[in-house]
Amino acid sequence: IISKVLIVAFVVVFGVLCSLTGSITSPVGTLWSLFPPVVAIGLALITKEVYSSLFVGIVVGGLLSTNFNVIHTIDSVVTEGITSAVSGSAGIFAFLVLLGIVVALLNKAGGSKAFGDWASKHVKTKVGACIATFLFGVLIFIDDYFNCLTVGAVMRPVTDKNKISRAKLSYIIDATAAPVCMIAPISSWAAAV
């Protein structure tokens, strides 16, 4: 609780320092322009919730940029922020959400556990677990994120059983995810390009 009080105190002191360096009605080029990220980081450290903290930081930035006009803030955040950020990549974003749903369904249905059980019966050594992770990573070439999610969920129990560190597992998965997806003719990267 002391650390939370210190974080709140830091944000308040930073706000006071901002008020000493420039007017809140013209935040451009002053410390006020750094106030929204300080608020977002402070809230993230206190609440341990990144998304809501980032949203509050965006709202604070929107309020500062529109001189605390709530209607203009909502319009600015929606049209200049959310719409422009999603408009060019909405299809890819939807595709990745659907891939995440497929991975969650595979895990809930037991497919990942079944493959993991099969792999743990047939893979007996550290080298075998690393090679199996590599080969499974090469076989899942549809999307690099899908690769990471699926291979990580499936091979984690196998590599844990063989006492392979999570850092090494993540390295092997990352080394096969994007490079294989980039050279595969049928992948989300090909669709994006």
Side-chain angles (χ1 to χ4, degrees), residues 68-98:
F68 297 93
N69 186 328
V70 177
I71 302 299
H72 285 121
T73 298
I74 294 170
D75 182 48
S76 174
V77 167
V78 171
T79 58
E80 295 173 20
I82 296 171
T83 306
S84 64
V86 175
S87 64
S89 57
I92 294 172
F93 180 73
F95 179 72
L96 293 177
V97 167
L98 289 173

Side-chain angles (χ1 to χ4, degrees), residues 132-149:
T133 303
F134 173 78
L135 291 175
F136 192 45
V138 170
L139 290 175
I140 307 284
F141 57 83
I142 294 172
D143 182 70
D144 52 341
Y145 295 125
F146 181 69
N147 180 313
C148 293
L149 291 170

Side-chain angles (χ1 to χ4, degrees), residues 9-22 31-32 35:
F10 176 77
V11 172
V12 169
V13 168
F14 189 79
V16 170
L17 184 63
C18 290
S19 67
L20 295 175
T21 60
L31 276 180
W32 281 114
F35 190 66

Side-chain angles (χ1 to χ4, degrees), residues 175-193:
T176 58
V180 171
C181 187
M182 284 174 28
I183 61 173
I186 302 170
S187 69
S188 64
W189 284 61
V193 169

Side-chain angles (χ1 to χ4, degrees), residues 6-132:
L6 288 174
I7 293 169
V8 169
F10 176 77
V11 172
V12 169
V13 168
F14 189 79
V16 170
L17 184 63
C18 290
S19 67
L20 295 175
T21 60
S23 172
I24 197 167
T25 58
S26 59
V28 178
T30 66
L31 276 180
W32 281 114
S33 60
L34 294 177
F35 190 66
V38 168
V39 169
I41 292 169
L43 275 175
L45 291 173
I46 291 170
T47 63
K48 307 289 189 247
E49 292 183 22
V50 177
Y51 294 126
S52 58
S53 301
L54 284 173
F55 180 74
V56 170
I58 289 169
V59 169
V60 169
L63 286 169
L64 282 172
S65 70
T66 60
N67 289 327
F68 297 93
N69 186 328
V70 177
I71 302 299
H72 285 121
T73 298
I74 294 170
D75 182 48
S76 174
V77 167
V78 171
T79 58
E80 295 173 20
I82 296 171
T83 306
S84 64
V86 175
S87 64
S89 57
I92 294 172
F93 180 73
F95 179 72
L96 293 177
V97 167
L98 289 173
L99 284 178
I101 291 170
V102 169
V103 171
L105 285 174
L106 282 173
N107 288 337
K108 290 288 184 188
S112 300
K113 185 179 181 321
F115 186 82
D117 292 343
W118 176 85
S120 63
K121 288 178 187 173
H122 292 84
V123 176
K124 303 294 183 195
T125 64
K126 283 185 174 187
V127 173
C130 290
I131 291 172

